């Protein structure tokens, strides 16, 4: 709050006070009051007005500056009404009550939206679990009646299964803490479990996996890590060129360990590389492969952030891609179980 803004707001009051001083001085002069008494009376009047003016400015300036400071320091701005103090001046009290009422209304609406979102998410999860049953049944029927047509159908069913699984993890990603289980597991176990889910796709592109130094132990959520690795494998299969060679290499560094997943696929354009983890971004490859959704890597980054892990990518166009997943020390790396 600036003094110039306050003066502008009190311009009418100051003008009225000045007119009152001039008018009363004229009355005193007309009543033949001695000049000394006129000056004394108007000085008392002016000093009283100035003192009340400065006092009012000081308390409002202090309150509003503290309020702005509190607002700027809040991550969740909606908490302002809960933390602000009830001021002692009338117009501040009005603002306080309005903010309190607006905050209550907003919280009620947010609660309604959260409830509706939670209900919708539960329905999506239930629907996904239900749709998995006919997909599994269809796979079994194909196993019992293999021919050229059913094998093609099996391939398309696997794609559907992949997207259904992706949708399930996307729905759950907002409430990861409710479905999080810390386990002692090796990189080898995570990689092999992810490869098992994509074995048919790997065979379809003559994929050859290579492993190096995967006996490193980490503490992480097995299911979510397998999903992340699976998404990377799926991208390598989708964007392969010729016979796929997929390398998995583990390693350690000062603050934890890492898993490198590299392929010999078509790679990622240099201009697209900084944005591949953005939601819905498909880039140059997405224009060539119209079935790209831009959700897989976005979901991987989102899950890694929630689990205090890191994920990054390096690529050379038409020379392959290398994805790096990092597992930090601390509770995720050095934790011991009783």
């Amino acid at each position: 709050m600036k003094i110039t803004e306050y003066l502008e707001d009190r311009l009418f009051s100051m003008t009225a006070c000045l007119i009152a001083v001039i008018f009363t001085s004229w009355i005193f002069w007309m009543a033949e009051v001695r000049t000394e008494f006129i000056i004394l009376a108007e000085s008392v009047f002016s000093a009283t007005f100035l003192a009340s003016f400065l006092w009012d400015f000081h308390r409002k300036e202090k309150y509003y500056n503290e309020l702005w400071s509190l607002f700027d320091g809040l991550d969740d701005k909606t908490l302002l009404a809960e933390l602000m103090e009830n001021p002692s001046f009338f117009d501040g009290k009005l603002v306080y009550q309005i903010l309190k009422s607006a905050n209550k209304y907003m919280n009620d609406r947010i609660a309604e939206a959260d409830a509706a979102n939670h209900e919708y998410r539960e329905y999506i999860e239930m629907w996904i679990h239900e749709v998995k049953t006919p997909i599994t049944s269809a796979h079994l029927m194909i196993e019992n009646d293999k021919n050229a047509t059913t094998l093609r159908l099996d391939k398309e069913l696997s794609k559907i299964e992949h997207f259904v699984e992706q949708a399930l993890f996307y729905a759950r990603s907002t409430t990861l803490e409710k479905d999080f289980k810390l386990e002692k597991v090796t990189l080898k176990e995570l990689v092999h479990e992810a490869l098992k889910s994509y074995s048919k796709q790997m065979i379809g592109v003559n994929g050859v996996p290579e492993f190096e130094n995967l006996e490193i132990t980490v503490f992480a959520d097995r299911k979510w890590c397998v999903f992340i690795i699976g998404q990377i494998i799926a991208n390598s299969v989708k964007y392969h060129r010729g016979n796929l060679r997929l390398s998995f290499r583990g390693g350690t560094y000062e603050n934890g360990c890492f898993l490198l997943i590299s392929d010999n696929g078509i790679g990622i354009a240099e201009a697209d590389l900084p944005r591949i983890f953005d939601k819905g971004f498909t880039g140059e490859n997405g224009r060539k492969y119209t079935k790209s959704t831009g959700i897989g890597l976005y979901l991987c980054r989102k899950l890694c952030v929630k689990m205090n892990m890191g994920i990054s990518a390096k690529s050379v166009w038409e020379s392959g891609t290398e994805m790096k997943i990092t597992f930090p020390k601390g509770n995720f790396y050095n934790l011991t179980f009783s």
Side-chain angles (χ1 to χ4, degrees):
M1 185 177 182
K2 298 178 180 179
I3 184 66
T4 52
E5 296 171 338
Y6 184 80
L7 290 173
E8 184 179 352
D9 185 59
R10 294 293 185 271
L11 184 61
F12 179 81
S13 299
M14 291 186 296
T15 303
C17 180
L18 180 61
I19 292 173
V21 168
I22 296 172
F23 184 70
T24 54
S25 297
W26 178 78
I27 292 176
F28 288 155
W29 181 75
M30 291 295 293
E32 297 183 352
V33 177
R34 291 174 59 181
T35 304
E36 294 84 354
F37 287 111
I38 295 175
I39 294 173
L40 178 62
E42 299 304 339
S43 297
V44 171
F45 179 78
S46 300
T48 303
F49 175 79
L50 181 62
S52 63
F53 175 87
L54 292 175
W55 174 75
D56 186 59
F57 170 74
H58 174 71
R59 64 172 180 166
K60 290 183 178 179
E61 179 194 35
K62 181 181 178 182
Y63 178 77
Y64 286 125
N65 285 345
E66 289 178 351
L67 190 61
W68 269 113
S69 178
L70 176 63
F71 180 77
D72 289 337
L74 287 174
D75 292 329
D76 187 356
K77 307 300 184 184
T78 61
L79 295 175
L80 178 64
E82 302 299 326
L83 298 177
M84 66 184 292
E85 296 180 1
N86 193 356
S88 58
F89 48 95
F90 179 71
D91 49 346
K93 288 179 181 291
L94 288 178
V95 173
Y96 177 79
Q97 292 299 327
I98 290 171
L99 282 176
K100 279 282 189 181
S101 300
N103 188 61
K104 183 180 182 305
Y105 174 78
M106 180 181 61
N107 286 337
D108 290 343
R109 294 299 300 271
I110 290 175
E112 291 174 6
D114 285 343
N117 184 54
H118 179 71
E119 183 179 346
Y120 178 74
R121 189 169 58 247
E122 284 187 336
Y123 169 74
I124 292 296
E125 290 184 24
M126 181 191 69
W127 180 87
I128 290 171
H129 283 298
E130 291 296 327
V131 82
K132 279 184 174 183
T133 302
I135 292 175
T136 303
S137 299
H139 278 305
L140 290 174
M141 286 187 284
I142 290 171
E143 285 293 323
N144 294 325
D145 186 20
K146 288 184 178 181
N147 56 58
T149 301
T150 56
L151 288 176
R152 286 198 298 271
L153 286 174
D154 189 60
K155 182 178 179 181
E156 297 305 314
L157 277 174
S158 295
K159 293 179 182 178
I160 294 174
E161 194 170 24
H162 167 73
F163 287 123
V164 166
E165 192 73 11
Q166 190 180 79
L168 177 61
F169 277 84
Y170 186 86
R172 287 179 173 175
S173 64
T174 56
T175 55
L176 177 63
E177 64 281 355
K178 295 181 180 179
D179 190 37
F180 184 77
K181 182 182 178 183
L182 204 61
E183 298 181 57
K184 182 179 180 180
V185 63
T186 65
L187 296 179
K188 182 178 180 180
E189 293 176 84
L190 296 176
V191 168
H192 280 266
E193 191 169 337
L195 281 171
K196 184 178 178 181
S197 301
Y198 290 89
S199 57
K200 291 182 180 179
Q201 291 89 329
M202 287 286 290
I203 294 171
V205 295
N206 297 318
V208 178
E210 300 174 351
F211 311 103
E212 180 183 349
N213 195 28
L214 297 182
E215 299 298 336
I216 300 171
T217 300
V218 296
F219 292 90
D221 186 287
R222 177 191 295 265
K223 180 171 62 175
W224 294 89
C225 288
V226 168
F227 172 79
I228 292 169
I229 296 171
Q231 291 297 301
I232 297 172
I233 295 173
N235 281 347
S236 295
V237 170
K238 183 188 298 183
Y239 303 120
H240 77 282
R241 184 179 59 178
N243 295 335
L244 174 64
R245 299 185 67 85
L246 196 56
S247 170
F248 300 88
R249 181 167 65 87
T252 59
Y253 64 107
E254 183 180 358
N255 296 318
C257 69
F258 60 84
L259 172 65
L260 292 177
I261 306 174
S262 55
D263 62 42
N264 61 340
I266 64 174
I268 302 170
E270 184 178 357
D272 294 341
L273 202 54
R275 300 178 58 194
I276 61 172
F277 295 105
D278 292 351
K279 185 178 181 179
F281 181 76
T282 56
E284 185 70 25
N285 291 340
R287 286 184 279 274
K288 294 182 178 180
Y289 298 83
T290 56
K291 294 181 181 179
S292 299
T293 61
I295 294 296
L297 289 180
Y298 161 77
L299 196 51
C300 289
R301 166 66 65 84
K302 186 176 182 181
L303 297 178
C304 282
V305 169
K306 283 181 174 288
M307 293 190 294
N308 197 30
M309 293 162 48
I311 184 170
S312 58
K314 292 195 300 184
S315 182
V316 177
W317 182 244
E318 296 186 348
S319 296
T321 302
E322 179 183 88
M323 304 293 296
K324 183 178 183 180
I325 303 173
T326 57
F327 300 81
K329 284 184 179 179
N331 291 337
F332 287 80
Y333 187 70
N334 289 330
L335 186 66
T336 57
F337 292 88
S338 57

